[in-house]
Amino acid sequence: MVVDDHPMWRDAVARDLAESGFDVVATAGDGDQAVRRAKAAAPDVLVLDLNLPGKPGVQVCKEVVADRPTLRVLVLSASGEHADVLEAVKSGATGYLVKSASTEELQDAVRRTAAGDPVFTPGLAGLVLGEYRRLAAEPLPAAGAGPEEPKAPRLTDRETEVLRLVAKGLSYKQIAERLVISHRTVQNHVQNTLGKLQLHNRVELVRYAIERGLDDE
């Protein structure tokens, strides 16, 4: 599904994706329409502009991801401002591409987003990981060994192993090859882990893993 308030741009993106083999199930031109149509059309990937009338893109992202946690959101924005990127990621986006990207880059980004991989315009991935490292470091002193600690969900050894590799930035395909299991099995482990930890997407999963130092092991 493609969401953008400029009709010519929206139609061009939808057409390019359709011509390259993607099934474009819906388009929308404003925030409220985007939320309604995303619920009705149930896309696998939402290509979302941030600057929308009615309801801003970050709010759209929060609402559609809350409604369908398995939905992947790829932001396609004219802005490469760090604050915009971080706000989009915190709202649930799993990827961020600037509009100067080529058609081939967009197609590749949509494919990788659909596969569950975080996709960012070059130079932004490090920014996002750095921000999550910073955020992950903040709550630890306050949390301590509080009363909530014993309630931490128990993950299986395999789920922990998959989570550690996700935190290191490996794609599902690379994890499958590393552990000699199928791509679908990796996805199942990730979905089970998301459910146990009550998280919504891979970005939140990476943050959780970084908080616990799994990326360093």
Side-chain angles (χ1 to χ4, degrees), residues 122-171:
L124 296 181
L127 163 79
V128 172
L129 194 56
E131 174 70 0
Y132 273 100
R133 284 182 185 279
R134 185 186 71 75
L135 289 173
E138 283 180 357
L140 286 180
E148 293 183 10
E149 285 295 312
K151 297 179 185 174
R154 283 193 64 83
L155 301 180
T156 65
D157 289 344
R158 181 54 67 126
E159 286 167 352
T160 302
E161 198 172 13
V162 169
L163 178 57
R164 182 176 296 124
L165 295 175
V166 168
K168 289 178 182 292
L170 274 67
S171 69

Coordinates of all heavy atoms in Angstrom, one line a residue, residues 122-171:
P122 N 21.5 4.9 3.1 CA 22.9 4.9 3.6 C 23.2 6.1 4.5 O 22.9 7.2 4.2 CB 23.7 4.9 2.3 CG 22.9 4.3 1.3 CD 21.5 4.7 1.7
G123 N 23.8 5.8 5.6 CA 24.2 6.8 6.6 C 23.2 6.9 7.7 O 23.5 7.5 8.8
L124 N 22.0 6.4 7.5 CA 21.0 6.5 8.6 C 20.9 5.3 9.5 O 20.5 5.4 10.6 CB 19.6 6.7 8.0 CG 19.4 8.0 7.2 CD1 18.0 8.1 6.6 CD2 19.7 9.2 8.0
A125 N 21.4 4.1 9.0 CA 21.3 2.9 9.8 C 22.1 3.1 11.1 O 21.7 2.7 12.2 CB 21.8 1.7 9.0
G126 N 23.3 3.6 11.0 CA 24.2 3.8 12.1 C 23.6 4.8 13.1 O 23.7 4.6 14.3
L127 N 22.9 5.8 12.6 CA 22.2 6.8 13.4 C 21.2 6.1 14.3 O 21.1 6.3 15.5 CB 21.6 7.9 12.6 CG 20.5 8.7 13.2 CD1 21.1 9.8 14.1 CD2 19.6 9.4 12.2
V128 N 20.3 5.3 13.6 CA 19.2 4.6 14.3 C 19.8 3.7 15.4 O 19.3 3.7 16.6 CB 18.4 3.8 13.3 CG1 17.3 3.0 14.1 CG2 17.6 4.8 12.4
L129 N 20.8 2.9 15.1 CA 21.4 1.9 16.0 C 22.0 2.7 17.2 O 21.9 2.3 18.3 CB 22.4 1.0 15.3 CG 22.8 -0.2 16.1 CD1 21.7 -1.1 16.5 CD2 23.9 -1.0 15.3
G130 N 22.7 3.8 16.9 CA 23.3 4.6 17.9 C 22.3 5.2 18.9 O 22.5 5.2 20.1
E131 N 21.1 5.6 18.3 CA 20.1 6.2 19.2 C 19.5 5.1 20.1 O 19.2 5.3 21.2 CB 19.0 6.8 18.3 CG 17.7 7.3 19.0 CD 18.0 8.5 19.9 OE1 19.1 9.0 19.9 OE2 17.0 9.0 20.5
Y132 N 19.3 3.9 19.5 CA 18.7 2.8 20.4 C 19.7 2.4 21.4 O 19.4 2.0 22.5 CB 18.2 1.7 19.5 CG 16.8 1.9 19.1 CD1 16.5 2.4 17.8 CD2 15.8 1.7 20.0 CE1 15.2 2.7 17.5 CE2 14.5 2.0 19.6 CZ 14.2 2.5 18.4 OH 12.9 2.8 18.0
R133 N 21.0 2.4 21.1 CA 22.0 2.1 22.1 C 21.9 3.2 23.3 O 22.0 2.8 24.4 CB 23.4 2.1 21.5 CG 23.7 0.9 20.7 CD 25.2 1.0 20.2 NE 25.4 -0.1 19.3 CZ 25.7 -1.4 19.7 NH1 25.8 -1.6 21.0 NH2 26.0 -2.3 18.8
R134 N 21.8 4.4 22.9 CA 21.7 5.5 23.9 C 20.4 5.3 24.7 O 20.5 5.4 26.0 CB 21.6 6.9 23.2 CG 21.7 8.0 24.1 CD 21.5 9.3 23.4 NE 20.1 9.5 22.9 CZ 19.0 9.8 23.7 NH1 19.2 10.0 25.0 NH2 17.8 9.9 23.1
L135 N 19.3 5.1 24.1 CA 18.0 4.9 24.8 C 18.1 3.6 25.7 O 17.6 3.6 26.8 CB 16.9 4.7 23.9 CG 16.4 6.0 23.1 CD1 15.4 5.6 22.1 CD2 15.9 7.0 24.1
A136 N 18.8 2.6 25.2 CA 18.9 1.4 26.0 C 19.7 1.5 27.2 O 19.5 0.9 28.2 CB 19.5 0.3 25.1
A137 N 20.7 2.4 27.1 CA 21.6 2.7 28.3 C 20.9 3.4 29.4 O 21.2 3.3 30.6 CB 22.8 3.4 27.8
E138 N 19.9 4.2 29.0 CA 19.3 5.2 30.0 C 18.5 4.5 31.1 O 18.7 4.8 32.3 CB 18.4 6.2 29.3 CG 19.2 7.3 28.6 CD 18.3 8.3 27.9 OE1 17.1 8.1 28.0 OE2 18.9 9.3 27.4
P139 N 17.5 3.6 30.8 CA 16.7 3.1 31.9 C 17.3 2.1 32.9 O 16.7 1.8 33.9 CB 15.5 2.5 31.2 CG 16.1 2.1 29.9 CD 17.1 3.1 29.5
L140 N 18.5 1.6 32.5 CA 19.0 0.5 33.3 C 19.3 0.8 34.8 O 18.9 0.1 35.6 CB 20.3 -0.1 32.6 CG 20.1 -0.9 31.4 CD1 21.4 -1.4 30.8 CD2 19.2 -2.1 31.7
P141 N 19.9 2.0 35.1 CA 20.2 2.3 36.5 C 18.9 2.4 37.3 O 18.8 1.9 38.4 CB 20.9 3.6 36.4 CG 21.5 3.7 35.1 CD 20.5 3.0 34.2
A142 N 17.9 3.0 36.7 CA 16.6 3.2 37.4 C 15.9 1.8 37.6 O 15.3 1.6 38.6 CB 15.7 4.1 36.6
A143 N 16.0 0.9 36.6 CA 15.3 -0.3 36.7 C 15.9 -1.2 37.8 O 15.2 -1.8 38.6 CB 15.4 -1.0 35.3
G144 N 17.2 -1.3 37.8 CA 17.9 -2.1 38.8 C 17.3 -3.5 38.9 O 16.9 -4.1 37.9
A145 N 17.3 -4.1 40.0 CA 16.7 -5.4 40.2 C 15.3 -5.2 40.9 O 15.1 -5.7 42.0 CB 17.6 -6.3 41.0
G146 N 14.5 -4.5 40.2 CA 13.2 -4.2 40.8 C 12.2 -5.3 40.8 O 12.6 -6.4 40.4
P147 N 11.0 -5.1 41.3 CA 10.1 -6.2 41.5 C 9.6 -6.8 40.1 O 9.1 -7.9 40.1 CB 8.9 -5.6 42.2 CG 9.0 -4.1 41.9 CD 10.5 -3.8 41.8
E148 N 9.8 -6.1 39.0 CA 9.4 -6.6 37.7 C 10.4 -7.6 37.1 O 10.0 -8.3 36.2 CB 9.1 -5.4 36.7 CG 8.0 -4.5 37.2 CD 7.7 -3.5 36.1 OE1 8.3 -3.5 35.0 OE2 6.9 -2.6 36.4
E149 N 11.6 -7.6 37.6 CA 12.6 -8.4 37.0 C 12.2 -9.9 37.0 O 12.4 -10.5 35.9 CB 13.9 -8.3 37.8 CG 14.7 -7.0 37.5 CD 15.1 -6.9 36.1 OE1 15.7 -7.8 35.6 OE2 14.8 -5.9 35.4
P150 N 11.7 -10.5 38.0 CA 11.4 -12.0 38.0 C 10.3 -12.3 37.0 O 10.2 -13.4 36.6 CB 10.9 -12.3 39.4 CG 11.4 -11.2 40.3 CD 11.5 -10.0 39.4
K151 N 9.6 -11.3 36.5 CA 8.5 -11.5 35.6 C 9.0 -11.6 34.1 O 8.2 -11.7 33.2 CB 7.4 -10.5 35.7 CG 6.7 -10.4 37.1 CD 5.7 -9.3 37.2 CE 5.1 -9.2 38.5 NZ 4.2 -8.1 38.6
A152 N 10.2 -11.3 33.9 CA 10.8 -11.3 32.6 C 10.4 -12.6 31.9 O 10.6 -13.7 32.4 CB 12.3 -11.1 32.6
P153 N 9.8 -12.6 30.6 CA 9.4 -13.8 30.0 C 10.6 -14.7 29.7 O 11.7 -14.2 29.4 CB 8.8 -13.3 28.6 CG 8.6 -11.8 28.8 CD 9.6 -11.4 29.8
R154 N 10.4 -16.0 29.8 CA 11.5 -16.9 29.5 C 11.5 -17.3 28.0 O 10.5 -17.8 27.4 CB 11.3 -18.2 30.3 CG 11.7 -18.1 31.7 CD 11.8 -19.4 32.4 NE 12.8 -20.3 31.8 CZ 14.1 -20.2 32.2 NH1 14.5 -19.2 33.1 NH2 15.0 -21.0 31.7
L155 N 12.6 -17.1 27.3 CA 12.8 -17.5 25.9 C 13.5 -18.8 25.9 O 14.3 -19.1 26.7 CB 13.6 -16.4 25.2 CG 13.1 -15.0 25.2 CD1 14.0 -14.1 24.4 CD2 11.7 -14.9 24.5
T156 N 13.2 -19.6 24.8 CA 13.9 -20.8 24.7 C 15.3 -20.5 24.2 O 15.6 -19.4 23.8 CB 13.3 -21.7 23.6 OG1 13.4 -21.0 22.3 CG2 11.8 -21.9 23.9
D157 N 16.2 -21.5 24.3 CA 17.6 -21.3 23.9 C 17.7 -20.9 22.4 O 18.4 -20.0 22.1 CB 18.4 -22.6 24.1 CG 18.7 -22.9 25.6 OD1 18.5 -21.9 26.4 OD2 19.0 -24.0 25.9
R158 N 16.8 -21.5 21.6 CA 16.9 -21.2 20.2 C 16.3 -19.8 19.9 O 16.9 -19.0 19.1 CB 16.0 -22.2 19.4 CG 16.0 -22.0 17.9 CD 17.4 -21.9 17.3 NE 18.1 -23.1 17.4 CZ 18.7 -23.8 16.3 NH1 18.6 -23.2 15.2 NH2 19.3 -24.9 16.5
E159 N 15.3 -19.4 20.7 CA 14.7 -18.0 20.5 C 15.8 -17.0 20.9 O 15.9 -15.9 20.3 CB 13.5 -17.8 21.4 CG 12.3 -18.5 20.8 CD 11.1 -18.6 21.8 OE1 11.3 -18.3 23.0 OE2 10.0 -19.0 21.4
T160 N 16.5 -17.3 22.0 CA 17.6 -16.3 22.4 C 18.7 -16.3 21.4 O 19.2 -15.2 21.1 CB 18.2 -16.8 23.8 OG1 17.1 -16.9 24.7 CG2 19.2 -15.9 24.3
E161 N 19.0 -17.4 20.8 CA 20.0 -17.5 19.8 C 19.6 -16.6 18.6 O 20.4 -15.8 18.0 CB 20.3 -18.9 19.4 CG 21.6 -19.2 18.6 CD 21.8 -20.7 18.4 OE1 20.8 -21.5 18.6 OE2 22.9 -21.1 18.1
V162 N 18.4 -16.8 18.1 CA 17.9 -16.0 17.0 C 17.9 -14.5 17.3 O 18.3 -13.6 16.5 CB 16.5 -16.5 16.6 CG1 15.8 -15.5 15.6 CG2 16.5 -17.9 16.0
L163 N 17.4 -14.2 18.6 CA 17.4 -12.8 19.0 C 18.8 -12.2 19.0 O 18.9 -11.0 18.6 CB 16.8 -12.7 20.4 CG 16.7 -11.3 21.1 CD1 15.9 -10.4 20.2 CD2 16.1 -11.5 22.5
R164 N 19.8 -12.9 19.4 CA 21.1 -12.4 19.5 C 21.6 -12.1 18.0 O 22.3 -11.0 17.8 CB 22.1 -13.5 20.1 CG 23.5 -13.0 20.2 CD 24.3 -14.0 20.9 NE 23.9 -14.2 22.3 CZ 23.5 -15.4 22.8 NH1 23.5 -16.5 22.1 NH2 23.1 -15.4 24.1
L165 N 21.3 -12.9 17.1 CA 21.7 -12.7 15.7 C 20.9 -11.5 15.1 O 21.5 -10.8 14.2 CB 21.5 -14.0 14.9 CG 22.4 -15.1 15.3 CD1 22.1 -16.4 14.5 CD2 23.9 -14.7 15.2
V166 N 19.6 -11.4 15.4 CA 18.9 -10.2 15.0 C 19.5 -8.9 15.5 O 19.7 -8.0 14.7 CB 17.4 -10.3 15.5 CG1 16.7 -9.0 15.3 CG2 16.6 -11.4 14.7
A167 N 19.9 -8.9 16.7 CA 20.6 -7.8 17.3 C 21.9 -7.4 16.7 O 22.3 -6.2 16.7 CB 20.8 -8.0 18.8
K168 N 22.6 -8.4 16.1 CA 23.8 -8.1 15.4 C 23.6 -7.6 14.0 O 24.6 -7.3 13.3 CB 24.6 -9.4 15.4 CG 25.2 -9.9 16.7 CD 26.0 -11.2 16.6 CE 26.5 -11.7 17.9 NZ 27.6 -10.8 18.4
G169 N 22.3 -7.5 13.6 CA 22.0 -6.9 12.3 C 21.9 -7.9 11.1 O 21.8 -7.5 10.0
L170 N 21.9 -9.2 11.4 CA 21.8 -10.2 10.4 C 20.3 -10.3 9.9 O 19.4 -10.1 10.6 CB 22.1 -11.6 10.9 CG 23.6 -12.0 10.8 CD1 24.4 -11.1 11.8 CD2 23.8 -13.5 11.2
S171 N 20.2 -10.5 8.6 CA 18.9 -10.7 8.0 C 18.3 -12.1 8.3 O 19.1 -13.0 8.8 CB 18.9 -10.6 6.4 OG 19.6 -11.7 5.9

